[in-house]
Amino acid sequence: MRARALVPGVPALLPSYASLDDPVAPLRAACLSAVGELGPRVRVVASGPSGRRVGAALAEAVGAVVVDADETGTLVVGNGSATRTEKAPGHLDERAAGFDAALRASFDHIDLALADELWADVTCLVGLPPLADGDVRYDDAPYGVQYWVAVWG
Amino acid sequence: MRLGRHAFGDDDPLMMGIVNRTPDSFFDKGATWAEDAAFARVAEVVAQGAEIVDIGGIKAAPGVEISAAEEKARVVDFVAQVRATYPDLVISVDTWRAEVGAAVCAAGADVLNDAWGGADPELVDVAAEHDAAIICTHTGGVTPRTRPYRIEYDDVVAAAIADTTAYAQRALDAGVARESIVIDPAHDFGKNTFHSLEVTRRLGEMVATGWPVLVSLSNKDFVGETLGLDVGERLVGTLAATSVCALAGARIYRVHQVVETRQTVDMVWSIAGRRPPLRAIRGLQ
């Protein structure tokens, strides 16, 4: 089994959206450490162009190349709800915390309809092993969006 | 760009806080005439983030004749005191006199700000001898401390570029380091309000010469006449002019209000794509 990693598709991680003070510094450090363990050839699995850009940028940042086959590791891009607080992109939805807690326990049996309502990017999380089986480098929702960074060896 | 002991990146806008050791300058009307008040003013602009202080011993407008000896008495020891207290601060002295320039450089000044456009031809030699920077201004050839009166230009910007770049070349020939030469169109000096507005509008042409450009806009009469406002009411107009100069790429801003000018220039610098936002996360979570 080749290594797999999970990162959130946060555009603030892109070099083109860099600030003087990095608003996602701990997240970025966690992402780079995780992606750095995928080897030199990384396949990015993301649900849309934004996530693909983020995955590719992270791979590039650790000196890896993005490939479609013969990968040394797979980078899955996705995250939990974006409705955790009143200032969250999708505003507060009281169901978000429970939804994210369920994801934290298992990526099986995800309620895709609810995910859509909670602005969660879960399409590519389906089939991942539980976080408990991996090395979780980040688990927080600093801007009302639930992020995980994890590596499975 | 290098200002005496201090080097800066090619894209860093710098704030030059005005410190008057004069009893009669137009904006502060002698508020920092006393040495302790002037020193407190230095501390203030340093705390506000100014990289440079510009210390002047003679107001620009006509008035009582100030001898070189009196000018030196006002600024030389003061420069030494500022140098000793703030080793990382760029010290500029606003003088046109070579004799004063030599004395302040010996006391620790980094920049000679010749607001009167080379009236004393030996000032460049002093800058070269002390490895100081020099500000080459355009005044249309007027005598120091005189007001513009019925001055006309075929093209004020072309004249400003011709005179300041010729002055810069003269400084270079005298041995001043290329990276230590700055040009300044000198708003209101040898210019009526229409001239100063045109220089502002076309500042990009000065920037395009390749020499770093300093602008001194702060609370000046061209702002006051344009808006019909007295000296204490010109901040907004000053900042509007500052924005235009910043978009054109002016590098040094000689100012009374450091904080407001810094915010203005930082904002424009970011709009121009030369500075990232401080911290952008909205829509990017």
Side-chain angles (χ1 to χ4, degrees), chain B residues 7-280:
Chain B
F8 297 95
D10 282 341
D11 218 15
D12 301 331
L14 305 177
M15 296 296 132
M16 171 188 268
I18 298 167
V19 178
N20 292 315
R21 284 237 59 211
T22 57
D24 48 7
S25 284
F26 82 101
F27 184 69
D28 58 42
K29 299 179 175 59
T32 57
W33 167 228
E35 186 169 300
D36 57 346
F39 203 75
R41 170 66 178 161
V42 171
E44 178 184 52
V45 299
V46 168
Q48 291 172 339
E51 291 88 355
I52 310 167
V53 288
D54 189 44
I55 297 164
I58 304 182
K59 72 167 177 176
V64 177
E65 167 81 18
I66 306 297
S67 68
E70 169 64 13
E71 187 183 359
K72 283 195 284 186
R74 291 180 179 186
V75 297
V76 176
D77 288 349
F78 186 71
V79 165
Q81 189 185 349
V82 173
R83 176 81 289 143
T85 310
Y86 299 101
D88 296 331
L89 182 64
V90 180
I91 301 176
S92 167
V93 173
D94 182 345
T95 186
W96 74 87
R97 289 178 170 133
E99 177 185 343
V100 176
V104 296
C105 283
D110 302 293
V111 181
L112 296 176
N113 180 16
D114 179 12
W116 291 102
D120 185 338
E122 293 177 8
L123 196 68
V124 288
D125 301 317
V126 171
E129 184 185 337
H130 292 272
D131 197 22
I134 191 160
I135 315 294
C136 306
T137 60
H138 170 259
T139 62
V142 298
T143 302
R145 303 192 66 199
T146 57
R147 294 200 169 100
Y149 184 59
R150 299 181 178 175
I151 293 176
E152 290 295 339
Y153 300 93
D154 288 338
D155 181 331
V156 65
V157 176
I161 289 172
D163 287 6
T164 56
T165 58
Y167 189 173
Q169 186 61 49
R170 199 157 60 76
L172 203 57
D173 294 343
V176 179
R178 179 175 290 276
E179 70 270 21
S180 299
I181 298 171
V182 176
I183 62 173
D184 172 6
H187 289 70
D188 279 5
F189 280 59
K191 296 172 192 68
N192 62 39
T193 288
F194 296 90
H195 293 143
S196 293
L197 292 171
E198 182 167 1
V199 163
T200 307
R201 182 164 65 245
R202 296 171 55 194
L203 196 83
E205 294 175 41
M206 289 206 75
V207 173
T209 65
W211 297 104
V213 173
L214 178 150
V215 287
S216 182
L217 312 164
S218 201
N219 301 289
K220 278 186 169 172
D221 281 345
F222 83 97
V223 176
E225 286 196 343
T226 299
L227 299 177
L229 295 171
D230 290 333
V231 167
E233 305 170 322
R234 299 175 180 172
L235 177 58
V236 173
T238 296
L239 297 178
T242 300
S243 295
V244 173
C245 292
L247 194 60
R251 294 285 309 282
I252 304 177
Y253 299 80
R254 181 178 179 274
V255 299
H256 299 102
Q257 288 106 339
V258 173
V259 172
E260 293 86 344
T261 310
R262 173 78 75 189
Q263 280 182 20
T264 301
V265 173
D266 279 353
M267 189 69 204
V268 174
W269 227 246
S270 291
I271 290 168
R274 305 180 198 124
R275 170 192 179 272
L278 182 63
R279 195 170 190 278

Side-chain angles (χ1 to χ4, degrees), chain A residues 10-12 18-21 23 143 147, chain B residues 275-281 283-285:
Chain A
V10 178
S19 291
L20 291 172
D21 291 348
Y143 301 108
Y147 305 146
Chain B
R275 170 192 179 272
L278 182 63
R279 195 170 190 278
I281 191 65
L284 300 172
Q285 303 102 315

